Amino acid sequence: MKPSMVRTDKGNGGLDRLTLEHASGATAEVYLFGAHITSWHPPGQPDAFFVSRQALFDGVKPIRGGIPVIFPQFADDGPLPKHGLVRTQIWRVEQSGVCPDGKVAVTLALEDNETTRAVWPFRFRVELCIALDERLEVTTAVTNRDAVDFAFQYALHTYFSVGDIRRTRVFGLQGTRFLDCVGGNAEYVEDREAVGFSGETDRVYSGTGDEVAIRDEAACRTIGISKAGMPDVVVWNPWVEKSRRLADFGDDEYLRMVCVENGCIAVPVRLHPGQTWKGDTIFTVR
Ligand code: TA6
């Protein structure tokens, strides 16, 4: 058995990267650019996350795949750049190593700076703790360091790798309301136990249960998302036409990915000065 450890090197595009290796055989990779997790191999498994073969690692554009961290605005829900400010910022390593409980973990942090304050005039701190054993846990803490309240949206915009999107289903959304962003933002209630894919899909489900699962029939595996403090789930696949319009995404890659994103989207989180919000996500594969 190899010992658990964190390695530091230069990844794609020469960007700073941390690799977490757990004694179970699990590994995960995270770039300081965006605190962006780009890879997670559960023990003995192929990567559970999708990264486009056309993803840019130029330190400017967000990385297409893995887990972009979305804060303080989801999509085009407000006047800020799409999906907010932190997926293109360089985060700092606060802690890294093996925890007393045997997990291998890194904590990355980002505070407001000149660039963020130029478009969002608040003082904040976001902390992302990534802990790996047989499972992958991502814990977020957002603190208001300002003298006034602010409100924000937050999401882990996770791109999962699937064998075939046409044989992939998402469970755990039945009975929840969703905005259909492909169909002019009409609102519906999900009546299906399992959400399948046969065309472009872009939906914001609000107030879901805390257990969501992706059944990937082609790869014979189920990815579990267990969440706390993050009531909403976005399900996205660009399908044929939108894939062609995305410069950093292969035309056929929609077949091998699905985004199932958990966060606080429908009702922004409001923090008083000094307050901290926390959200937790545990990914499993079986
Ligand atoms: O979360 C779904 C979504 O908002 C889609 O509408 C889609 O455009 C996607 O995010 C990707 O956004 P990006 O800015 O990374 O190209």
Side-chain angles (χ1 to χ4, degrees):
M1 201 159 63
K2 282 188 13 196
S4 298
M5 62 186 289
V6 179
R7 284 192 294 114
T8 306
D9 69 354
K10 300 283 180 196
N12 293 329
L15 300 179
D16 289 318
R17 176 175 67 179
L18 302 174
T19 302
L20 289 73
E21 298 178 352
H22 186 257
S24 63
T27 62
E29 283 178 7
V30 55
Y31 282 77
L32 298 192
F33 176 70
H36 201 126
I37 302 172
T38 52
S39 168
W40 167 45
H41 287 267
Q45 290 267 343
D47 210 321
F49 294 155
F50 164 91
V51 175
S52 170
R53 60 176 182 265
Q54 290 176 212
L56 299 170
F57 287 84
D58 61 2
V60 179
K61 297 260 170 49
I63 298 167
R64 176 73 65 196
I67 312 187
V69 176
I70 307 303
F71 171 89
Q73 174 186 298
F74 182 78
D76 295 316
D77 280 4
L80 301 182
K82 189 174 177 198
H83 287 321
L85 308 172
V86 303
R87 62 179 179 161
T88 51
Q89 289 282 312
I90 308 273
W91 294 50
R92 198 179 57 250
V93 182
E94 290 262 291
Q95 278 187 345
S96 103
V98 181
C99 311
D101 63 5
K103 289 179 184 156
V104 57
V106 299
T107 300
L108 305 183
L110 178 75
E111 276 104 30
D112 56 283
N113 54 45
E114 255 175 44
T115 311
T116 67
R117 286 192 299 270
V119 281
W120 199 61
F122 299 105
R123 301 194 60 215
F124 66 85
R125 173 184 163 86
V126 189
E127 196 179 279
L128 203 74
C129 176
I130 301 158
L132 181 73
D133 53 8
E134 286 78 8
R135 317 174 309 170
L136 177 69
E137 180 165 12
V138 181
T139 310
T140 310
V142 176
T143 301
N144 182 346
R145 303 168 66 226
D146 212 314
V148 296
D149 285 13
F150 63 64
F152 64 89
Q153 293 166 301
Y154 182 84
L156 298 178
H157 193 302
T158 313
Y159 289 71
F160 294 97
S161 171
V162 296
D164 184 346
I165 187 67
R166 296 162 299 193
R167 298 176 60 210
T168 298
R169 288 166 300 152
V170 181
F171 290 84
L173 303 171
Q174 192 172 29
T176 47
R177 282 185 300 127
F178 68 90
L179 276 187
D180 185 356
C181 308
V182 174
N185 284 337
E187 195 174 304
Y188 303 94
V189 173
E190 183 58 73
D191 56 8
R192 293 170 296 174
E193 187 198 2
V195 176
F197 299 86
S198 56
E200 185 181 346
T201 304
D202 193 351
R203 297 173 166 193
V204 182
Y205 289 87
S206 50
T208 75
D210 280 342
E211 303 294 328
V212 175
I214 302 164
R215 177 62 192 163
D216 176 357
E217 235 26 273
C220 291
R221 70 177 179 179
T222 302
I223 297 173
I225 304 166
S226 202
K227 60 191 180 65
M230 303 166 91
D232 307 325
V233 170
V234 179
V235 178
W236 180 56
N237 182 285
W239 216 253
V240 179
E241 293 304 324
K242 187 154 182 178
S243 294
R244 291 191 183 131
R245 294 200 299 274
L246 294 171
D248 55 350
F249 190 82
D251 288 357
D252 57 350
E253 286 186 314
Y254 74 95
L255 287 166
R256 294 196 302 105
M257 57 70 69
V258 65
C259 283
V260 180
E261 312 159 28
N262 56 307
C264 300
I265 296 164
V267 181
V269 178
R270 177 166 286 276
L271 287 181
H272 302 309
Q275 259 191 326
T276 296
W277 165 87
K278 279 193 177 163
D280 188 45
T281 310
I282 297 174
F283 300 104
T284 54
V285 169
R286 57 176 193 275

